Amino acid sequence: MAMVTFATKQDPWTTDDTMGTASSHLRVAGQKGGLWATIEAILKEKIRPLFTKQRNPKITSEGRKNFHPVPLARFDGSVLDDSTRPWKNTAIYTTSVLSWIISQYTATDKMHLESHFPLLVPAILSLIDDSNISFKAQGCQLLTQLLKSIRESGSDILIRTNLISVFEEAITPCLLSLPTITPEADSLKILRVAYPVLIDLLEAAYKTPSLRTPQSQIKKDKESFNTSLAKILRSNLISSFNHISSSSSISGSNASFPHPLLSTFLMTRICAVLNKLGIETTKYLQDIIPVLQMTLSNPFGTSDPALLSVAVSTTRAVILNAHPRIWKWRGELLAALCACWLHVSEESKDKEKGKALVGVSKQLRITVSLLKCTLQNPAAVSNGALDADQVYAKEHMDAELKELVDADPQLEQLLGPAVTL
């Protein structure tokens, strides 16, 4: 226990010397054998007692989902009593010990992982459910480690224990830690671990089929995965992005982004989810494209090139993943890209500002080239035939682009010859 406490460099009390000494002792102890017996003893005798005063009604003592939980009192005074949570004050080494233990499971340690799983779950859930952002983040990091071990070992322990929904219900409230109630720095701290661990949870639950899994179940799991991803996209990512932004019109012409770092992070996660959804992205274009319009059309967007760059990348992800339906939204996309180009061109007249926007300009040209390529190569619909509207968009594309260039010659560089992708 003492050596493990000093084996993590991220802990503020650990120095290079203490970590070197601890790692050396742990290496020698591991070579002597009895590692798993020691780990089990630590979990049962040292870690579990720290969390017994704070029982989670959603799980049983065997580490399974409790289908008939006894609801807690509407207001429980123990919530404000840290004496029931010794891991927050006296046993502050707890998370370091748990992190080290979870790091010991390899792809061949499935049996040990599953036997220790009921001992790990209550501790991780207690950390995630805590009111303190730092402990929430540590709980999410531990769960990320555990899910990685579960996937590598090919275990279906999450399915057998029915704990997927329990973990989801614990993580989802973390996604509501947004300004102005939560400071931007704290919000980023928790969201940077909460969103990835929620995706990891879904992948561990629905995208780790065994050789014996029937095709019908694989298909059902894929549908469940996509449904859960879509819920995260619409109910959390997009709604959170809109919440921390301010706009007085649907078009987003008066939009502002008072929390640029957080807006950039959320846009990055939106892009990642779209790439995982693939063709399913087409179902949610009516939710995604207004967000892109609001961001790209922002007249003050050039003050934050990072957010603009991510928004352009997300636009490319939309075009690539939802290409069969892009023709229907070409007007909105072109309007947003052209507005962004004009703002960037105006700011680029200042040499200092222009340097930071060079990358955005190139990305805009690449994105427009991709959009033009998509419109020129419509996707076949039912029976292999082309939709009449797609054909119309293809045949009139050049005329529509020329109309835009005639309206503002500055768009010639953007809408003119294609660039190398």
Side-chain angles (χ1 to χ4, degrees), residues 305-316:
L307 177 57
L308 278 186
S309 179
V310 174
V312 177
S313 297
T314 305
T315 304
R316 284 202 303 276

Side-chain angles (χ1 to χ4, degrees), residues 142-348:
L142 289 173
L143 181 55
T144 299
Q145 282 185 268
L146 184 60
L147 291 172
K148 181 182 177 182
S149 299
I150 289 173
R151 292 199 69 182
E152 289 178 348
S153 66
S155 173
D156 61 348
I157 188 75
L158 287 171
I159 302 296
R160 286 188 280 119
T161 56
N162 292 294
L163 286 178
I164 299 168
S165 60
V166 175
F167 280 121
E168 277 190 274
E169 290 169 8
I171 298 168
T172 301
C174 298
L175 308 181
L176 302 178
S177 300
L178 299 167
T180 57
I181 295 176
T182 305
E184 184 178 18
D186 287 342
S187 182
L188 280 168
K189 183 176 183 178
I190 182 62
L191 295 185
R192 280 173 174 162
V193 291
Y195 275 111
V197 75
L198 189 54
I199 302 298
D200 288 345
L201 176 67
L202 298 177
E203 290 185 337
Y206 301 121
K207 300 192 75 173
T208 315
S210 65
L211 295 175
R212 294 176 293 178
T213 305
Q215 286 299 317
S216 59
Q217 184 61 44
I218 293 176
K219 182 179 179 181
K220 185 178 179 181
D221 286 346
K222 183 179 180 180
E223 292 174 355
S224 299
F225 179 73
N226 287 335
T227 300
S228 299
L229 271 185
K231 183 180 178 182
I232 294 171
L233 175 68
R234 301 178 72 183
S235 301
N236 299 114
L237 285 168
I238 292 177
S239 62
S240 295
F241 188 91
N242 290 328
H243 172 77
I244 63 171
S245 308
S246 60
S247 175
S248 59
S249 66
I250 296 175
S251 65
S253 58
N254 296 318
S256 64
F257 300 92
H259 308 284
L261 290 177
L262 189 53
S263 295
T264 302
F265 167 78
L266 290 172
M267 184 64 75
T268 303
R269 297 312 307 177
I270 289 173
C271 186
V273 169
L274 295 181
N275 286 327
K276 288 183 181 295
L277 279 171
I279 193 64
E280 296 285 324
T281 301
T282 54
K283 297 179 181 179
Y284 313 108
L285 290 177
Q286 70 274 14
D287 300 307
I288 302 162
I289 289 181
V291 172
L292 296 176
Q293 276 190 286
M294 178 177 69
T295 308
L296 293 172
S297 302
N298 179 20
F300 304 105
T302 51
S303 62
D304 187 17
L307 177 57
L308 278 186
S309 179
V310 174
V312 177
S313 297
T314 305
T315 304
R316 284 202 303 276
V318 168
I319 296 171
L320 287 168
N321 291 301
H323 60 91
R325 296 291 291 174
I326 285 302
W327 62 269
K328 187 174 182 180
W329 297 92
R330 66 189 185 281
E332 289 81 357
L333 290 174
L334 282 170
L337 292 168
C338 288
C340 186
W341 175 266
L342 293 175
H343 296 147
V344 169
S345 298
E346 185 65 27
E347 288 295 321
S348 295

Side-chain angles (χ1 to χ4, degrees), residues 86-145:
W87 42 269
K88 292 185 68 172
N89 38 61
T90 56
I92 57 174
Y93 53 82
T94 304
T95 53
S96 299
V97 174
L98 286 169
S99 178
W100 179 84
I101 288 174
I102 296 173
S103 69
Q104 302 307 301
Y105 302 115
T106 63
T108 58
D109 298 319
K110 179 179 177 180
M111 181 183 70
H112 298 296
L113 172 62
E114 292 187 348
S115 66
H116 297 161
F117 187 75
L119 300 169
L120 296 167
V121 169
I124 293 175
L125 283 175
S126 294
L127 287 164
I128 296 175
D129 287 336
D130 193 70
S131 59
N132 186 284
I133 292 290
S134 294
F135 286 107
K136 282 181 176 292
Q138 290 178 45
C140 289
Q141 289 167 342
L142 289 173
L143 181 55
T144 299
Q145 282 185 268

Side-chain angles (χ1 to χ4, degrees), residues 46-95:
K46 300 293 183 180
I47 301 299
R48 183 165 61 181
L50 299 175
F51 295 89
T52 53
K53 293 181 180 180
Q54 187 190 7
R55 296 293 302 275
N56 190 323
K58 295 181 180 179
I59 57 174
T60 66
S61 57
E62 293 82 18
R64 294 175 174 273
K65 179 178 180 178
N66 187 356
F67 289 95
H68 305 286
V70 178
L72 295 173
R74 189 173 294 274
F75 178 78
D76 185 359
S78 65
V79 172
L80 304 176
D81 184 10
D82 279 351
S83 65
T84 62
R85 298 170 175 80
W87 42 269
K88 292 185 68 172
N89 38 61
T90 56
I92 57 174
Y93 53 82
T94 304
T95 53

